[in-house]
Amino acid sequence: MKKIIPSIIFAFILAIASSPAYAANHPIQIDGVAVASDVKPETKNKRTMVPLRVVSENLGAKVDWSNSKVTLTKSSMKVTLQTNSTAAMKNGEAVQLDVKPYIKNNRVMVPLRFIAETFGCKVNYSNSKVTVETAPLVIHNVKVKALQEEYHMTMGGVVQQVKGNAYNAAIYDAFVRNKGAKVDAPASYSWMVNIDVPGSYYKNAQYDFLDEKGSSLQRFDVYSLLHAFPDELLTGYPEVLLYDANEDQWYLFSGAARDSIQSLVDAAGKNGFLKVISNTVA
């Protein structure tokens, strides 16, 4: 009898580990990265339900919440869901979900497969894991493998890479969409702070979109005006400039665009899509 009980316990544990509910309790892998969440994915009616934040941040969909309705948009696709209802709208056409979105621990839980496949992602279930593959960013007909960000401090600097496809696409779009008018190169611009020339610009960061071999497909540099002089001496100088290295052209940019790009990089880091390549900051 003593030998039978451990065997029964082992079989019970094995059965739990191989069940769909157990698999859904593991972090979802998106583009090879295990995405953690304060509310774990779970299975409802054989469908994996995930917090809306997982979709909005890591699949690149924008979210608009109104009353009990959630609208997700990405490129030309628009999906509207309603909590506790299987009725949904997909680009204006009515569709039925297999399971109702619902609220758990103040988080909206949505069906992963329906959302992911609607936005052109591939979903696979294998070895008790749920994996999602998103479409890569393509620049000049070449797939982008990573976005490399470099920035400098007073002493030393940091080089880091973002490998999440949705983040890279959103950041690239932010650069292209927020390009202002063409301008001439400023008289003084550098990684170093120049407090001798009014209208000097400090290089905040350099962004290289890399191909599979690590070569730069597209580079953008962001510069901010140095406020080392009285305001009256800085009249007429734009606060932020963008340099397109491929075009060898300067553009007006905005502080809001600069900050939104940094917020995307920060979100990528928080969710595990960012890797530090080198850090020489003293």
Side-chain angles (χ1 to χ4, degrees), residues 2 4 89 106 113 162 220 234:
K2 292 181 180 179
I4 296 176
M89 298 294 292
N106 294 320
R113 179 178 287 278
V162 177
F220 295 108
L234 299 178

Side-chain angles (χ1 to χ4, degrees), residues 155-166:
M155 295 183 66
V158 175
V159 177
Q160 53 191 14
Q161 292 183 358
V162 177
K163 294 190 175 181
N165 292 329

